[in-house]
Every structure is written in structure tokens, then in C-alpha cells.
Amino acid sequence: MTAATPRSGPVGVGVIGAGNISEQYLTTLTRIPDVDVVIVGDLMADRAEEQARKHGVPAWGTADDVLAHDGVEIVVNLTIPAVHAEVSSAIVAAGKHVWSEKPIAVDLASARALLDQAAEAGLRVGVAPDTALGPGVQTARRAIERGDIGSALSAYTMFQTPGPDAWHPSPEFLFATGAGPLFDMGPYYFTTLITLFGSVTRVSAVGSTGRKVRTIRTGPRTGTEFPVEVPTHVAALATFEGGAVAQSVFSFDSALVRDGVVEINGTDGVLVVPDPNRFTGDVRITRGADDDGAPLWEPVEPVGLGEGRGLGVLDMARSIRSGTPHIATGDLGYHVLEVLVAIDRAAATGETQHIQSRAGDVLPVPLDRDPFAATL
């Protein structure tokens, strides 16, 4: 099916997947005047109904109900990673644009097939995370572009925690193929780094699996054991088109939590970027230390408005109406996936991997954009 006839006014949105993450999306999207959430669908109809009623969405049902709804122009795919490509392909086949939670797919072949299918149908694909559209990363981007730290040379990022089995009531999917700390959290960090540095050209990595079996530690299934299918600690090195390099750690094996760490080293200073899993946060620069060796910090004036998962959906919606490119494109999502797949392969083989795809131009968010102002 090809793209539907262009419409006017707020863009109709349907949601497939009423799990934990849907709470964040629905909280944001139901407050934005330029989109209209018209239906929620899920394999569990009662869960879809609960979320729809909670957020004032007028209809609910199955995934097929969402795809058949005439008022839906964009479908937000919040299913588990293993079926992202399958569900997104069905969305495109139904003549709808796709916003997919990350990653776009769990393998490159199905991701490429989805993008080719959407291109042939004249439909858009957008891919999470949209946190890079928030004031935190956008402020950091503009600081780098102004030369606030001279020439950006390198980055250091870290995400390490005990793992989601400590807090998620059903964490098995986060330790399955297509997840783990690399594929679950890597999209946030690499989307941020690619926004700041451009595309990745090659990667190297090492990885390990701390425990082959994990135990759920919260909720009604506390004590339930499940197998681990992926590395739970990955350390990666990446090189970017412009020559910058980055070292990153992704771990579910640390009792000491260190997350949200993104530091950009330049010829004239170090820029601290907020947690890429958040939309806002302080951006700071240090160019030296005091007499006791403590860094001297300078705040960077924040720019931009808005936070909450769903900003990428809004950007797509406004771009659909205006006929302009959206920011978190399928090409960006594919490039991030290729980087993660290459890191996974590098960790398994010990060999440097070269990245074939490029993200293209990752557009900045206009300074005057207000998510909560009606423009359509």
C-alpha cells in the first residue's frame, strides 16, 4: 500500500504496545496539540484499554485494529526489539508512517528491507531515541559548533549498573538477542555521539558475560531464573568521519552505578553532556583546575524547549505536514544499528569492524521550536 492522501491539521497517531514505555510516550503525546492519539493496541486487550482510558485515548484494541484505523497516520511501535522489524513492516504495508522504539531491528537485513519497503511506499520511518532532540544534547551540539572547547577530539561515555533484573518485573527480553546493555543502552549514547561528531567509520570492542543465568529481584516473579543470551559487559572504541574517537562502556555487571556519563574532550577544554537517556540536564565546560586541583566549571546557557519521549514523533508529524525532512530518520537508526552490530561482532571476533552505512546529515532542532504550541 502506498502513502495516503496528504491531510491537514493535527496528525493522527496510533500506538502498538502498551507496556512500560508506553506510559512515557502517552504522557507526552497526549499533551501535544499537533498530534492526536486516537487508538492504543496490544496483544493484551485489557492492557491496551487500561492505558487508553488512563490517558484519554478514545479507542483501543489489537495491533490490527490500530493498522485498520482510518484516523492513524503515524504508528508508534513500542513492541519488544525482537519483533520491531516485523511490526514496522506491517505498519508500512498498512499505509502508515512508522516511529519505532530502538533499535530499528535486531539485524541489518530486516532493517534494510524495512527502509526499502517504506521508501517504495513513500512513507517515513523514524527511530528512537529522541532524547537527542532535547535541550541537553542540542545545547552541547551548539557549544561544540561554536568552538567553545576548541576542536572536539574525543569522547568518553559510560553506562554501568547491576542490570535491569534488579528493578524490572519481567526483564528477560533485556537479556535476549537484540538487547543486553549494548543494544538496550547503546542507541542513546551512539545517537548522541553521532549527533555531535557525525557518522562512525570503524569500531573495535571486547565483551563478556558475567552470569549465564539471572534472577528476577522485584515484583510478583521475584526469584524466577532465566538464561542470558548476550554479553553483559562491552567496552568499545569508535572512530568518526571527522577523525574524532570515542571509548564507551556498557555494562549490566557493576554493583557501582555510573551512568549518563558523556564527556567531550577538545583542544581548549572538556564539555560534559547530560545523560543521553534524558532530554534535559546541565551542560558544563572545564578549561582548568583551581589551586587544589579541582576542575573549574562554567555552565553553558541551555537552548531549546521540551522533554518527554514522543518529541521525535512530533518532529515527524510536523515534517509530514510541511514536507520537510525529520531529524531521527530511519537512516540514522540503521547506522546506529550497524554500529552496534559491528561492536558485537568485534567483541566476538577480536577484529576491527568497518562501518559501511552513513547517518547522513543529522539536522539540529530549530531554536524557536515549541513542542507544546499548536502549529498545524
Side-chain angles (χ1 to χ4, degrees):
M1 184 179 293
T2 57
T5 302
R7 308 181 192 182
S8 60
V11 174
V13 171
V15 174
I16 295 179
N20 285 350
I21 196 66
S22 71
E23 181 67 22
Q24 297 183 49
Y25 273 92
L26 289 168
T27 296
T28 302
L29 292 174
T30 54
R31 295 187 296 133
I32 292 175
D34 282 350
V35 301
D36 182 17
V37 184
V38 296
I39 186 171
V40 177
D42 194 272
L43 286 171
M44 300 170 62
D46 57 341
R47 188 163 66 173
E49 179 180 0
E50 178 182 357
Q51 284 297 83
R53 288 187 181 277
K54 180 177 180 180
H55 293 278
V57 178
W60 53 85
T62 66
D64 288 341
D65 292 325
V66 176
L67 298 183
H69 197 296
D70 289 338
V72 172
E73 298 172 72
I74 299 173
V75 178
V76 179
N77 179 2
L78 304 181
T79 57
I80 62 173
V83 297
H84 278 177
E86 177 185 349
V87 173
S88 292
S89 178
I91 292 167
V92 171
K96 319 288 189 185
H97 304 283
V98 177
W99 174 267
S100 175
E101 247 306 314
K102 47 78 183 169
I104 186 174
V106 295
D107 65 88
L108 293 174
S110 56
R112 174 47 56 196
L114 170 64
L115 294 181
D116 290 346
Q117 178 191 6
E120 184 175 354
L123 293 164
R124 297 180 187 239
V125 177
V127 183
D130 53 1
T131 47
L133 279 64
V137 172
Q138 292 296 311
T139 297
R141 173 177 181 160
R142 285 176 166 83
I144 292 172
E145 291 172 348
R146 285 194 304 265
D148 289 4
I149 57 170
S151 298
L153 302 174
S154 63
Y156 174 76
T157 80
M158 175 172 282
F159 174 89
Q160 62 176 41
T161 73
D165 47 325
W167 57 267
H168 199 295
S170 298
E172 291 95 330
F173 76 98
L174 291 167
F175 292 86
T177 300
L182 175 62
F183 286 89
D184 184 44
M185 299 307 300
Y188 296 105
Y189 290 82
F190 276 102
T191 298
T192 292
L193 290 173
I194 291 163
T195 297
L196 300 179
F197 285 155
S199 298
V200 178
T201 59
R202 68 179 187 269
V203 297
S204 301
V206 293
S208 62
T209 302
R211 285 168 284 165
K212 297 294 186 181
V213 176
R214 292 267 183 156
T215 304
I216 299 174
R217 289 178 274 168
T218 188
R221 300 174 61 227
T222 296
T224 301
E225 294 185 340
F226 61 92
V228 176
E229 301 175 2
V230 293
T232 48
H233 182 97
V234 177
L237 298 174
T239 302
F240 296 81
E241 276 184 311
V245 296
Q247 53 183 323
S248 301
V249 172
F250 305 100
S251 183
F252 286 165
D253 288 335
S254 175
L256 177 61
V257 175
R258 288 197 187 102
D259 60 352
V261 176
V262 179
E263 298 173 357
I264 311 298
N265 302 297
T267 53
D268 300 332
V270 176
L271 176 74
V272 173
V273 184
D275 185 344
N277 195 17
R278 302 284 183 266
F279 289 84
T280 60
D282 294 335
V283 180
R284 300 178 295 157
I285 292 174
T286 181
R287 297 185 176 88
D290 63 20
D291 292 339
D292 295 323
L296 296 169
W297 292 106
E298 304 171 23
V300 179
E301 186 69 24
V303 298
L305 296 169
E307 60 181 299
R309 281 169 170 78
L311 290 187
V313 179
L314 171 65
D315 178 63
M316 272 187 67
R318 289 177 172 175
S319 297
I320 288 167
R321 289 287 185 264
S322 64
T324 56
H326 60 284
I327 297 173
T329 63
D331 287 339
L332 173 59
Y334 181 92
H335 181 64
V336 171
L337 177 64
E338 185 182 358
V339 171
L340 301 181
V341 169
I343 290 171
D344 190 49
R345 186 182 303 118
T349 65
E351 299 176 354
T352 295
Q353 304 292 312
H354 293 269
I355 309 300
Q356 302 303 312
S357 69
R358 295 294 182 266
D361 292 331
V362 182
L363 301 173
V365 176
L367 289 174
D368 60 353
R369 177 170 295 179
D370 183 352
F372 301 103
T375 67
L376 303 180

